[in-house]
Amino acid sequence: MNRLCERAVRIGLPAVVFTEHLDFEDSWKVDAGDIGEHAQRYVDDTGYVRLPRFDVDGYLAAIDRCRSAYPELRILTGVEFGQPHIWDAQAASLLDSGVIDRVNGSLHMLPFGDNDRSEPTTLYRYMSADTVMWEYLAEIPRMVDGSDSFAVFTHIDYAVRSWPTFTAGPFDPVRFEEGFRGAMRSLAESGRALEMNTRRLWPWIPRWWAEEGGQAVSFGSDAHEAGSLAANFPEAMAMVESFGFKPGRRPEDFWTR
Ligand SMILES: [Fe+2]
């Protein structure tokens, strides 16, 4: 967190939101190599990921330390809440307490087998690529209907990241256009913002979002280390501007149209 703050100051970023992962999944199945390096240490001998619970007090103390060390930087609290439609009740006491400024909702996992859930990266080994993609997109309206705790939907291209190009060919968003548009419609109708996740920039995301009635976007670089903080933000800002989105008053405000 220190390195991220230092980097933010150095590149002139006016504000950061530390959206720490908030997950209530006890465990989920992964195949070897299916999980990022930063989470490898949570995979046990049986191939299940076992995450430690979000340490709220530790997180808030760290935020306080950052605020004292970097008074020139606006630092906000946040969570990236995984599968909120399943875990809203468990998160309610934290999210109702008012200590969390920004609640992002993430869909990282889909049902897998009888009792498991797993990430697209693993699901692609067991189902056709198209099935995984359609199921991912179909789950988004269910997540919207099933939870009112999150204000922003993150990385709508999550299942695209691990798309198996080698067996399924290059990913073509137009083939899944109706699924993306339907997901966006449900998000727009519920008044939520769509995150422009700048790990990858896709012009069809803000275009379809605006066409489906989306009114607000946020920017997230998904930076798990300081070097990628705010990566591609200038390009993302130019892109959403061309679809009519404009910045708000404060740096952390959504861009709206
Ligand atoms: Fe995520």
Side-chain angles (χ1 to χ4, degrees), residues 132-251:
V132 175
M133 186 60 66
W134 283 117
E135 288 199 0
Y136 185 88
L137 296 171
E139 187 75 2
I140 296 173
R142 291 196 279 269
M143 180 166 141
V144 170
D145 290 342
S147 168
D148 50 19
S149 64
F150 68 98
V152 181
F153 186 79
T154 61
H155 50 49
I156 198 167
D157 65 338
Y158 193 68
V160 180
R161 288 183 184 175
S162 48
W163 177 262
T165 305
F166 187 69
T167 51
F171 176 73
D172 177 11
V174 174
R175 267 185 39 226
F176 302 97
E177 182 170 343
E178 262 325 295
F180 278 101
R181 284 184 180 274
M184 288 173 179
R185 252 186 329 268
S186 72
L187 287 160
E189 281 164 9
S190 74
R192 291 177 231 233
L194 188 67
E195 178 198 65
M196 297 294 113
N197 190 289
T198 62
R199 248 195 226 190
R200 293 185 185 180
L201 297 180
W202 307 100
W204 48 272
I205 291 181
R207 181 185 311 128
W208 293 350
W209 175 238
E211 287 171 3
E212 295 305 329
Q215 297 296 316
V217 298
S218 70
F219 298 91
S221 53
D222 218 336
H224 287 67
E225 43 86 37
S228 46
L229 178 67
N232 299 323
F233 270 28
E235 293 86 346
M237 286 152 71
M239 204 163 71
V240 303
E241 223 162 16
S242 77
F243 297 108
F245 293 92
K246 294 196 170 51
R249 194 171 47 80
R250 300 168 305 176

Side-chain angles (χ1 to χ4, degrees), residues 21 80 106 108 155:
H21 280 288
E80 178 181 346
S106 280
H108 293 124
H155 50 49

Side-chain angles (χ1 to χ4, degrees), residues 12-247:
L13 204 64
V16 290
V17 188
F18 282 100
T19 51
E20 186 61 42
H21 280 288
L22 175 64
D23 283 301
F24 293 90
E25 304 284 342
D26 287 315
S27 64
W28 74 92
K29 183 84 179 93
V30 294
D31 285 349
D34 281 356
I35 192 159
E37 222 165 284
H38 64 283
Q40 285 285 358
R41 63 196 152 122
Y42 301 122
V43 183
D44 73 8
D45 296 342
T46 61
Y48 277 79
V49 180
R50 305 200 186 271
L51 285 187
R53 281 291 155 91
F54 178 40
D55 170 9
V56 180
D57 294 338
Y59 169 80
L60 294 173
I63 290 279
D64 277 348
R65 285 196 299 274
C66 288
R67 283 177 177 155
S68 325
Y70 301 90
E72 67 275 55
L73 180 65
R74 198 165 154 71
I75 300 171
L76 290 136
T77 57
V79 290
E80 178 181 346
F81 183 10
Q83 292 74 246
H85 54 323
I86 296 163
W87 303 107
D88 254 3
Q90 285 81 349
S93 64
L94 170 65
L95 301 184
D96 294 345
S97 71
V99 298
I100 303 295
D101 300 318
R102 172 71 49 90
V103 181
N104 287 350
S106 280
L107 183 59
H108 293 124
M109 280 182 243
L110 296 173
F112 177 48
D114 292 337
N115 300 309
D116 276 340
R117 252 186 288 279
S118 200
E119 298 238 3
T121 196
T122 299
L123 298 174
Y124 281 128
R125 294 180 203 278
Y126 296 90
M127 292 181 230
S128 82
D130 283 39
T131 304
V132 175
M133 186 60 66
W134 283 117
E135 288 199 0
Y136 185 88
L137 296 171
E139 187 75 2
I140 296 173
R142 291 196 279 269
M143 180 166 141
V144 170
D145 290 342
S147 168
D148 50 19
S149 64
F150 68 98
V152 181
F153 186 79
T154 61
H155 50 49
I156 198 167
D157 65 338
Y158 193 68
V160 180
R161 288 183 184 175
S162 48
W163 177 262
T165 305
F166 187 69
T167 51
F171 176 73
D172 177 11
V174 174
R175 267 185 39 226
F176 302 97
E177 182 170 343
E178 262 325 295
F180 278 101
R181 284 184 180 274
M184 288 173 179
R185 252 186 329 268
S186 72
L187 287 160
E189 281 164 9
S190 74
R192 291 177 231 233
L194 188 67
E195 178 198 65
M196 297 294 113
N197 190 289
T198 62
R199 248 195 226 190
R200 293 185 185 180
L201 297 180
W202 307 100
W204 48 272
I205 291 181
R207 181 185 311 128
W208 293 350
W209 175 238
E211 287 171 3
E212 295 305 329
Q215 297 296 316
V217 298
S218 70
F219 298 91
S221 53
D222 218 336
H224 287 67
E225 43 86 37
S228 46
L229 178 67
N232 299 323
F233 270 28
E235 293 86 346
M237 286 152 71
M239 204 163 71
V240 303
E241 223 162 16
S242 77
F243 297 108
F245 293 92
K246 294 196 170 51

